Amino acid sequence: ASSTTITIDQTVPTAFTTGTVAATGGTVVASKWNSTNTGLDVTVPIANDASLNTTGTVQIQGKVGSNSYASLGDAATISAINENKTVSITAAQLEALTGFADAGVVTLTAILTDAAGNAATGTFSSTTITIDQTVPTISAAALAANNGTIAITFGEAVYNTSAGSGSLETSDFTLSISGGTATLANNSATPTSISASGNVYTLGIGLSGTPDGSEVLTVVPVDDGIYDAAGNEASTTQSNNTATLVDQSAPTISSVTATTANGSYNVGDVIAITVTFSETVIVTTTAGTPKLTLETGDTDAVVDYASGSGATLTFNYTVAAGENSSDLDYASTSALALNSGTIKDSGGSNAYLTLV
């Protein structure tokens, strides 16, 4: 006679709902998977069922979006009943799911299998995990014309705590300047002010000295200073985070000369007079044309601006009857007048018109 006994067990484990899910490692934010997380802990309720004790197993499954469920790691042995069991999933296991990518939503469930092999799949956990492994970055930097502020735009909403809360402060940014003559006031790398409009943060800039247009201003987040809603930290190395300061140094006149050769000239002859500035200037004549007054005897000649190239402006003097000069010169150090026109550098600084 056979001594083999067969135990019949066709009862599946009691229905259950998969419990809470939480990221582990790095910066943990509820319901998020970020660039620093290293694993997931999934809680599964184990009923007071002797068939599950010591020989039963729990298998965690997950899916991204509408993809099919897939097992995450090996089944874990149940060592106790009538309590919650926490099963740990590694980053590698989670990130191997089909469709795993930023903005994807991970749903998790569990399968309980008893000693006889009866299995029950639980209702999926009410805790879903949204994938966001992209760190916040600066997408644009716009400098005010007066160099007083710089508007920094982030590609997403940012905060000054890893929990996705807290408004950014001046201490969350560092400023630096390279090149040129202007420096940060009091050697302070902290912005003087901050205001926000959506994802755009306008930072105040304290300057010492007058910018000559060759200074490069750089803005970076401080370490452990700026985070997105998922807990990803903005790097202290950024792109799109520099701006060249606007030239605030006014152009000055360095020389006034006649490019026409020395000699005697008659009525109707044209003599080209050039005024050279310390830097490239832009002349606008919409409201009026700049004029240069020359010393030409009893009646001074007033000559209109004719053309310009770079730092040099040309005034063409046509000799008129009654005008005489043994050595043609301007009438005074204030002989150059705007006459409602403008002479400015590329940064918008008005030129000094005092002749030398």
Side-chain angles (χ1 to χ4, degrees):
S2 173
S3 61
T4 301
T5 59
I6 297 174
T7 301
I8 300 173
D9 180 356
Q10 295 180 305
T11 303
V12 299
T14 303
F16 67 99
T17 297
T18 307
T20 59
V21 180
T24 59
T27 301
V28 175
V29 176
S31 299
K32 302 290 187 181
W33 180 262
N34 63 43
S35 59
T36 69
N37 298 141
T38 58
L40 279 182
D41 278 351
V42 183
T43 301
V44 181
I46 307 299
N48 189 14
D49 181 347
S51 68
L52 293 172
N53 198 20
T54 68
T55 53
T57 62
V58 54
Q59 174 68 63
I60 302 299
Q61 290 194 325
K63 68 172 184 174
V64 179
S66 60
N67 290 292
S68 299
Y69 278 106
S71 295
L72 298 173
D74 296 328
T77 300
I78 298 171
S79 57
I81 58 175
N82 200 30
E83 65 180 27
N84 290 329
K85 180 174 179 62
T86 299
V87 181
S88 295
I89 305 300
T90 68
Q93 292 165 345
L94 178 68
E95 293 175 4
L97 285 174
T98 300
F100 188 94
D102 267 19
V105 178
V106 180
T107 304
L108 294 119
T109 190
I111 300 173
L112 292 179
T113 304
D114 63 18
N118 300 298
T121 300
T123 301
F124 58 81
S125 171
S126 62
T127 306
T128 57
I129 300 294
T130 300
I131 305 164
D132 180 354
Q133 295 182 297
T134 302
V135 300
T137 57
I138 294 173
S139 57
L143 184 70
N146 65 357
N147 296 317
T149 60
I150 186 168
I152 298 297
T153 303
F154 282 91
E156 60 182 310
V158 288
Y159 310 89
N160 74 347
T161 72
S162 60
S165 63
S167 300
L168 297 193
E169 303 171 354
T170 57
S171 58
D172 295 319
F173 293 91
T174 295
L175 306 180
S176 62
I177 290 179
S178 60
T181 58
T183 59
L184 292 170
N186 302 315
N187 293 316
S188 174
T190 303
T192 58
S193 62
I194 187 171
S195 62
S197 177
N199 298 340
V200 180
Y201 294 85
T202 301
L203 309 177
I205 307 166
L207 293 177
S208 176
T210 302
D212 63 12
S214 64
E215 298 89 349
V216 176
L217 175 70
T218 301
V219 182
V220 294
V222 300
D223 190 28
D224 295 327
I226 298 176
Y227 302 84
D228 65 11
N232 297 296
E233 181 190 350
S235 172
T236 57
T237 301
Q238 294 281 329
S239 302
N240 307 310
N241 63 323
T242 63
T244 300
L245 296 188
V246 178
D247 180 8
Q248 298 292 327
S249 299
T252 58
I253 295 172
S254 55
S255 67
V256 181
T257 60
T259 57
T260 305
N262 290 334
S264 297
Y265 292 88
N266 299 317
V267 173
D269 290 339
V270 177
I271 300 172
I273 310 296
T274 59
V275 178
T276 302
F277 286 84
S278 57
E279 61 177 303
T280 297
V281 292
I282 300 167
V283 179
T284 58
T285 59
T286 304
T289 302
K291 296 178 180 295
L292 178 65
T293 301
L294 301 176
E295 176 56 60
T296 55
D298 293 337
T299 304
D300 290 335
V302 180
V303 186
D304 284 346
Y305 161 76
S307 62
S309 176
T312 301
L313 308 184
T314 300
F315 296 77
N316 289 327
Y317 163 50
T318 302
V319 180
E323 296 174 348
N324 297 280
S325 176
S326 59
D327 186 12
L328 187 63
D329 202 354
Y330 49 79
S332 68
T333 56
S334 59
L336 179 59
L338 292 175
N339 188 38
S340 298
T342 65
I343 302 175
K344 300 182 178 184
D345 64 13
S346 59
S349 296
N350 291 312
Y352 288 117
L353 304 183
T354 302
L355 300 172
V356 295

